[in-house]
Amino acid sequence: DIRLTQSPSTLSASLGDRVTITCRASQSIATALAWYQQKPGKAPRLLITSVSNLESGVPSRFSGSGSGREFTITISNLQPDDFATYFCQQYNTYLLSFGGGTKLEIK
Amino acid sequence: QGLLEQSGPEVKEPGASLKVSCEASGYSFTNYGIAWVRQAPGQGHEWIGWISPLTGRKTFAQSLQGRVIMSTDTSTNTAELQLRDVDSGDTAIYYCARGHMVSPFDLWGQGTLITVSS
């Protein structure tokens, strides 16, 4: 099975900051990587597919990059609505897996 | 567009079976598969399995294979997850989500909290 390791597990930042979260795969997953946002008590929201394709309605301050085994999501100009948990998912094989999540907190 | 509405929270005793249902609306149920994902308290998300309402094809996480039963009913646009012989390690929020066998999930249910406790 493919393991996804996210870092950091917690990130403190201020409004207007630019932050980056990393997701590392235990083996190459080409570009089969998605990012989600989740707020407490809510269902996950799909943000990015295929490493860098923003879903409809996702603000352009979100961006994704990477390939192979290392991937990042960057959020620029942090807004109040961005403070949440972010996690990655690989879909390179039918044995899907998720990263452990990164909680983005207000500093 | 679309909605996945899940059944309510439950408490189960160890050794029992849990059942979670997921009713789809607002899209063609047979055009997409349904995946099941769980999140234990303080943990990351764990993929449980996936089923195609169109073909019945299923895939399972190896760690849960043998205890998981997934089904769909195209007459009611409902998917169902059963997990047998539960223990405290199965306490989690269980989600259904829409997607293909190898894809991200663009629509999620609201989640169902299953607590396993004696």
Side-chain angles (χ1 to χ4, degrees):
Chain A
D1 291 9
I2 298 174
R3 295 182 311 278
L4 298 180
T5 303
Q6 278 185 241
S7 59
S9 56
T10 307
L11 182 56
S12 296
S14 302
L15 293 175
D17 282 357
R18 179 175 183 265
V19 298
T20 296
I21 298 166
T22 299
C23 178
R24 289 186 177 89
S26 59
Q27 63 190 72
S28 177
I29 56 171
T31 58
L33 188 99
W35 289 96
Y36 297 85
Q37 176 193 67
Q38 188 173 22
K39 297 182 179 179
K42 300 294 186 181
R45 175 194 180 192
L46 179 62
L47 299 176
I48 292 173
T49 64
S50 299
V51 177
S52 59
N53 294 335
L54 263 61
E55 285 290 280
S56 175
V58 175
S60 59
R61 61 179 182 273
F62 289 86
S63 63
S65 66
S67 67
R69 293 181 58 191
E70 185 158 327
F71 306 88
T72 60
I73 182 173
T74 297
I75 313 169
S76 302
N77 187 22
L78 277 172
Q79 298 299 300
D81 191 52
D82 299 337
F83 292 93
T85 295
Y86 294 84
F87 62 96
C88 54
Q89 178 214 343
Q90 68 79 20
Y91 49 99
N92 188 58
T93 77
Y94 75 89
L95 297 175
L96 308 176
S97 54
F98 296 93
T102 295
K103 185 177 182 180
L104 177 57
E105 299 178 328
I106 298 178
K107 186 184 290 183
Chain B
Q1 197 166 358
L3 181 68
L4 295 173
E5 190 157 3
Q6 298 183 219
S7 50
E10 295 192 58
V11 178
K12 293 293 183 182
E13 292 194 345
S17 294
L18 69 82
K19 187 182 296 186
V20 180
S21 66
C22 170
E23 183 177 357
S25 60
Y27 74 95
S28 177
F29 186 54
T30 53
N31 280 0
Y32 299 84
I34 293 289
W36 291 94
V37 176
R38 69 180 182 179
Q39 184 178 26
Q43 302 298 310
H45 296 77
E46 178 185 16
W47 174 74
I48 297 170
W50 174 92
I51 183 170
S52 165
L54 180 65
T55 66
R57 183 175 181 180
K58 302 167 192 174
T59 57
F60 298 92
Q62 292 171 342
S63 61
L64 295 171
Q65 196 162 5
R67 291 202 295 138
V68 173
I69 299 172
M70 295 182 293
S71 61
T72 59
D73 183 341
T74 56
S75 68
T76 59
N77 291 348
T78 301
E80 188 173 272
L81 170 73
Q82 294 183 57
L83 184 63
R84 299 187 294 224
D85 192 22
V86 298
D87 64 21
S88 58
D90 295 311
T91 293
I93 299 173
Y94 288 75
Y95 295 96
C96 60
R98 182 180 76 177
H100 301 294
M101 187 174 72
V102 184
S103 84
F105 305 126
D106 66 345
L107 181 66
W108 293 65
Q110 81 275 23
T112 297
L113 175 61
I114 302 293
T115 303
V116 180
S117 174
S118 55

